[in-house]
């Protein structure tokens, strides 16, 4: 499948390479902080509530009541506090609902090979696909795996590895997990690798791979059309290391026969197959 097709499918449902339950789900017990947005409803008087942002001093301003300190409290605790304040002075019986509209104090971060990397406001029901969408989708350099990283309740960090093609193509909607506040979505780039194959090959020049492919000497020679009938058995491998060129001779025919291990190549390596003198 081409990269263009994969990028076109960015809004398709997600599928995971590991069980979704490996990461704990978001709960209503999260403490509220500045820049969070709450949806507050008072059944007996709708004018009191509404969608309100928590200010830097940790308060919200409500009709009739004025300032109400909410920082450090969970939504159920805010419900109880607001109920107590209203019933003490304003309403005989208050029915309160407090929902988190956006967690600006604990944003989700989407980093790596996305169009707009950075932090996004974490809505209470944001999914992985929604987070990638807000980040503008994947770029053409996105690798084959992405990761969701989350701090668990025991203080340890948990990481879920997700196959990008499964996420974008297979479409298992049950595995499009909700993201929690402070989650990190990391989309590593699959950087292009250029290898220069010269000398006695059918198509001398540059051959290209992706870093996830881990290109080897035999793969590079094969991509260059294979050795000619005049090729020597020894290959010269040239590589820049800390600004200095290193040269290594490798018998590629021994690699073909299984006598030696294939050689992993790096970006900008040069492979030269000389002409046999016999």
């Amino acid at each position: 499948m081409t990269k263009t097709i994969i990028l076109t499918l960015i809004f398709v449902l997600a599928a995971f390479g590991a069980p979704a339950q490996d990461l704990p789900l978001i709960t209503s017990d999260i403490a509220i902080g500045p820049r969070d947005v709450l949806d507050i409803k008072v059944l007996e008087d709708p004018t009191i509530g509404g969608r309100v942002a928590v200010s830097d001093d940790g308060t919200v301003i409500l009709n009739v009541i004025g300032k109400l300190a909410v920082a450090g409290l969970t939504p159920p605790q805010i419900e109880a506090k607001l109920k107590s304040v209203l019933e003490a002075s304003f309403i005989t019986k208050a029915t309160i609902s407090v929902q988190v509209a956006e967690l600006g104090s604990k944003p989700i971060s989407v980093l790596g090979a996305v169009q707009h990397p950075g932090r996004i406001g974490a809505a209470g029901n944001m999914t992985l696909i929604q987070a990638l969408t807000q980040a503008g989708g994947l770029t053409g350099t996105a690798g084959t795996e992405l990761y969701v990283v989350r701090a668990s309740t025991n203080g340890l960090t948990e990481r879920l590895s997700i196959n990008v093609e499964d996420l974008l193509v297979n479409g298992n909607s049950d595995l499009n997990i909700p993201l929690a506040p402070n989650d990190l979505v990391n989309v590593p780039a699959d950087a292009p690798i250029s290898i220069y194959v010269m000398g006695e090959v059918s198509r001398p020049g540059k051959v290209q791979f992706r870093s996830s492919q881990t290109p080897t000497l035999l793969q590079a020679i094969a991509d260059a059309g294979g050795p000619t009938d005049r090729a020597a058995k020894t290959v010269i491998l040239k590589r820049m290391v800390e600004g200095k060129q290193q040269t290594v001779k490798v018998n590629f025919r021994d690699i073909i026969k299984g006598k030696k291990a294939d050689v992993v190549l790096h970006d900008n390596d040069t492979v030269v197959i000389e002409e046999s003198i016999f």
Side-chain angles (χ1 to χ4, degrees):
M1 174 170 292
T2 66
K3 181 66 71 174
T4 301
I5 294 175
I6 290 178
L7 293 179
T8 302
L9 293 169
I10 184 60
F11 304 119
V12 179
L13 296 174
F16 284 81
Q21 59 266 30
D22 284 356
L23 291 180
L25 296 179
I26 184 172
T27 71
S28 62
D29 296 331
I30 190 162
I32 297 303
R35 297 179 299 283
D36 289 346
V37 178
L38 303 177
D39 189 3
I40 299 176
K41 290 184 173 63
V42 180
L43 180 62
E44 289 76 14
D45 188 348
T47 65
I48 295 177
R51 181 163 290 201
V52 292
V54 182
S55 64
D56 288 339
D57 65 1
T59 65
V60 294
I61 298 178
L62 300 174
N63 186 30
V64 177
I65 296 175
K67 280 191 175 184
L68 182 73
V70 297
L73 303 179
T74 66
Q77 289 172 335
I78 296 172
E79 289 175 354
K81 181 175 183 177
L82 181 55
K83 178 181 176 65
S84 176
V85 170
L86 287 174
E87 291 182 349
S89 304
F90 303 102
I91 300 175
T92 303
K93 179 177 176 57
T95 307
I96 312 297
S97 170
V98 176
Q99 301 291 329
V100 179
E102 184 176 326
L103 285 166
S105 65
K106 303 171 182 65
I108 292 168
S109 297
V110 184
L111 304 178
V114 292
Q115 300 291 344
H116 307 295
R119 294 181 172 185
I120 57 178
N125 59 350
M126 179 170 289
T127 66
L128 176 61
I129 288 294
Q130 290 171 331
L132 291 174
T133 300
Q134 284 202 28
L138 304 186
T139 68
T141 62
T144 59
E145 299 285 321
L146 65 81
Y147 305 94
V148 177
V149 182
R150 179 175 300 171
S152 62
T153 53
N154 59 12
L156 299 178
T157 298
E158 301 183 41
R159 188 179 79 163
L160 180 62
S161 175
I162 302 165
N163 182 276
V164 170
E165 188 166 347
D166 286 345
L167 175 68
L168 302 180
V169 179
N170 290 352
N172 186 342
S173 59
D174 291 337
L175 298 177
N176 183 21
I177 67 167
L179 296 179
N182 288 330
D183 274 359
L184 169 65
V185 179
N186 182 24
V187 186
D190 195 5
I193 293 179
S194 297
I195 310 294
Y196 301 89
V197 186
M198 313 303 291
E200 292 300 324
V201 290
S202 298
R203 297 188 299 273
K206 181 171 69 174
V207 294
Q208 289 198 289
F209 300 90
R210 291 283 183 178
S211 57
S212 61
Q213 295 176 284
T214 316
T216 65
L217 179 63
L218 291 188
Q219 289 173 335
I221 293 173
D223 269 30
T228 68
D229 294 339
R230 300 184 302 276
K233 65 181 180 180
T234 301
V235 171
I236 298 174
L237 173 60
K238 299 179 181 180
R239 176 177 297 167
M240 296 299 295
V241 179
E242 297 181 352
K244 297 181 179 179
Q245 181 174 278
Q246 293 185 352
T247 301
V248 178
K249 290 187 176 181
V250 181
N251 189 322
F252 81 92
R253 297 194 187 277
D254 283 348
I255 297 175
I256 294 173
K257 295 175 182 178
K259 294 181 179 180
K260 292 184 179 180
D262 204 352
V263 179
V264 175
L265 300 180
H266 299 172
D267 189 32
N268 289 321
D269 278 355
T270 298
V271 175
V272 180
I273 302 182
E274 297 184 320
E275 184 178 2
S276 175
I277 60 176
F278 300 104

